Amino acid sequence: MTSDRDEPARPEPADPAGDDALSEALTAVARQLRDRSAETLAPWDITPAHLRALRTLARHETMRLSELSDHLQIAPRTATEVVDALQAQDLVRRRADPADRRAILVEVTERGAAMLAEIRATRGTQASRIFGRLGPAERTELARILSKLRN
């Protein structure tokens, strides 16, 4: 006869809906998306951070640097560096704000808009490889849950 003290402790089975399991699953999916994003963006020599800025500028048409940094939730200096990199590739341009000559507006160039369209088409294909495993109802529910977690 053996006592409970003689048996090695068995780890509890992982709860697939537990916080640790959910965190690991979300991290793994985010890593897949980030890796695929880097692969997708390589031909255009653009980073995911640059793409976020380019998309934000395209959505808002023209923005001050301070507005861009607020939208991206990055430091103003970082927004300046991102815009510098995009401007060096002729993807965005700066111009004086007619309402306040001290302020600078940033807008997407035609080249930037064309590149963004190409990237969107390619990234859509890449994202569908991951999210395509879900049915329409699952995608809607995932979007709802992620939105809730994001906000």
Side-chain angles (χ1 to χ4, degrees):
M1 177 189 257
T2 61
S3 69
D4 288 340
R5 286 181 281 144
D6 296 336
E7 292 182 24
R10 293 185 186 154
E12 293 292 320
D15 177 5
D19 289 345
D20 287 344
L22 288 173
S23 180
E24 287 178 26
L26 186 59
T27 299
V29 172
R31 187 176 304 116
Q32 284 180 21
L33 286 168
R34 187 177 54 248
D35 292 347
R36 292 223 171 116
S37 179
E39 291 170 13
T40 301
L41 297 176
W44 290 280
D45 192 29
I46 190 171
T47 69
H50 295 161
L51 178 61
R52 279 186 64 223
L54 193 60
R55 285 189 347 219
T56 300
L57 288 167
R59 189 171 36 253
H60 295 276
E61 296 183 10
T62 302
M63 300 178 83
R64 289 182 176 183
L65 279 170
S66 60
E67 293 172 313
L68 180 62
S69 69
D70 289 346
H71 275 278
L72 298 177
Q73 298 179 343
I74 58 176
R77 178 71 190 138
T78 303
T80 298
E81 291 170 358
V82 168
V83 169
D84 287 347
L86 292 171
Q87 188 173 15
Q89 291 184 317
D90 190 32
L91 302 176
V92 301
R93 74 177 138 258
R94 288 177 167 102
R95 63 180 173 87
D97 184 343
D100 180 355
R101 302 292 289 173
R102 297 169 295 164
I104 300 296
L105 295 175
V106 183
E107 59 192 7
V108 177
T109 63
E110 287 181 29
R111 183 172 188 270
M115 179 186 283
L116 189 55
E118 291 174 26
I119 291 171
R120 279 184 178 144
T122 303
R123 281 179 58 99
T125 302
Q126 293 294 329
S128 69
R129 290 184 183 154
I130 292 174
F131 297 119
R133 298 178 223 162
L134 303 175
E138 291 171 314
R139 289 174 81 140
T140 300
E141 181 65 4
L142 178 60
R144 185 194 67 75
I145 291 168
L146 290 175
S147 177
K148 187 174 184 177
L149 292 174
R150 185 178 190 182
N151 299 325

